[in-house]
Amino acid sequence: MSNNWYSININGHRHGFFNSTRGLKQGDPLSPGLFILGAEMLSRMLNHLHQTPIYKGFNMERKGPQINHLNFADDVIIFASSDKDSMKLIIDTLGDYEHASDQLTNRDKSHFMVPDATPLDINNVIKEVTGFSQKASPITYLGYPLYIGGHRIIYYSHLVQKVSKEICGWKARILSFGGKITLIKHALQSNPIHTMAAISPPNTTIKYIESIITNFFWGRDQDKRKYH
């Protein structure tokens, strides 16, 4: 696409014109295919690092398979060791991809995460090589909390907040018995089910969500024991 002209409308007034130089129009059916080609190229470039002799990858276990990266659409998680040369290879690979595709890494939204016991000098090396800032556990990826270590209730506070927010909006309505059942089944259950399909929240979190739903369903003035 190189023969269209655009103008930006700011507060009801047009400001200048500029010519398109590359890319596709919004909604173009070629757009998904072009994106998949780019994502596949990046994935293969990262996987190709395992064939480099000096590259040291990431292992969950000493004899287990090496995990390189996970990506969904434009969200990418890269797993790496703390070896400086290996991290440089990863950054160089990202640079080659940026040069070939004209897609740039958003460094303001990019972070790295390490275990709490990681020495400070290693953290400084990672910051120096990658240029990314450190982020404490947990991070959110596709709606799931990712963390290092054991379960903590606070990691799932967003799940409780989503359920509470939905119910607070419904309490102002006059809903029938069947209406409440419909909302719980088709609207409310989707939030915890999405998370619980991949990970298991602590029992305390599950019981607390159950109590919120029960209070909404029966009301505090009802004797819930006769319904069990």
Side-chain angles (χ1 to χ4, degrees):
M1 183 180 68
S2 61
N3 59 349
N4 292 337
W5 289 84
Y6 298 93
S7 178
I8 300 177
N9 191 327
I10 302 177
N11 297 328
H13 300 282
R14 292 182 179 180
H15 294 266
F17 285 87
F18 60 93
N19 179 243
S20 60
T21 57
R22 62 177 179 268
L24 300 171
K25 291 183 179 180
Q26 185 175 3
D28 194 302
L30 287 176
S31 183
L34 182 63
F35 179 83
I36 291 173
L37 289 174
E40 181 68 16
M41 174 184 173
L42 176 60
S43 181
R44 294 194 180 197
M45 291 172 68
L46 291 173
N47 287 330
H48 187 70
L49 291 175
H50 291 291
Q51 301 180 16
T52 305
I54 64 172
Y55 178 76
K56 297 180 181 179
F58 174 85
N59 297 76
M60 292 293 293
E61 296 179 351
R62 180 173 298 180
K63 295 183 180 180
Q66 289 190 350
I67 302 174
N68 185 279
H69 68 283
L70 297 174
N71 65 317
F72 181 84
D74 59 345
D75 291 328
V76 182
I77 294 181
I78 299 176
F79 299 88
S81 64
S82 58
D83 178 67
K84 187 174 183 179
D85 293 333
S86 299
M87 287 188 291
K88 285 183 177 180
L89 287 174
I90 293 175
I91 297 301
D92 290 342
T93 300
L94 294 177
D96 292 340
Y97 175 76
E98 291 176 351
H99 179 72
S101 65
D102 282 337
Q103 294 181 350
L104 302 181
T105 303
N106 191 332
R107 298 188 178 274
D108 293 334
K109 294 183 178 180
S110 300
H111 312 277
F112 71 89
M113 186 173 66
V114 295
D116 294 335
T118 303
L120 182 60
D121 58 335
I122 293 181
N123 291 342
N124 293 333
V125 169
I126 298 175
K127 291 180 182 178
E128 177 187 350
V129 174
T130 63
F132 301 154
S133 59
Q134 184 177 358
K135 192 169 186 179
S137 177
I139 61 174
T140 302
Y141 182 68
L142 303 181
Y144 298 106
L146 300 183
Y147 49 86
I148 299 174
H151 278 315
R152 293 184 63 184
I153 298 175
I154 193 174
Y155 293 163
Y156 299 88
S157 59
H158 72 287
L159 186 61
V160 177
Q161 291 173 359
K162 283 184 179 179
V163 175
S164 299
K165 186 177 180 180
E166 290 281 359
I167 289 180
C168 286
W170 295 341
K171 282 184 177 180
R173 304 179 183 179
I174 300 176
L175 298 172
S176 64
F177 185 85
K180 290 182 178 181
I181 292 178
T182 302
L183 285 175
I184 291 174
K185 284 186 175 181
H186 298 285
L188 195 61
Q189 285 186 348
S190 61
N191 285 327
I193 287 177
H194 173 73
T195 301
M196 295 171 64
I199 52 181
S200 298
N203 291 331
T204 304
T205 302
I206 296 175
K207 291 180 179 179
Y208 187 70
I209 292 176
E210 288 178 350
S211 67
I212 295 175
I213 296 175
T214 302
N215 289 333
F216 162 71
F217 191 75
W218 299 115
R220 295 182 178 180
D221 298 332
Q222 299 287 340
D223 184 3
K224 297 185 288 295
R225 291 176 295 178
K226 63 182 180 181
Y227 298 107
H228 289 302

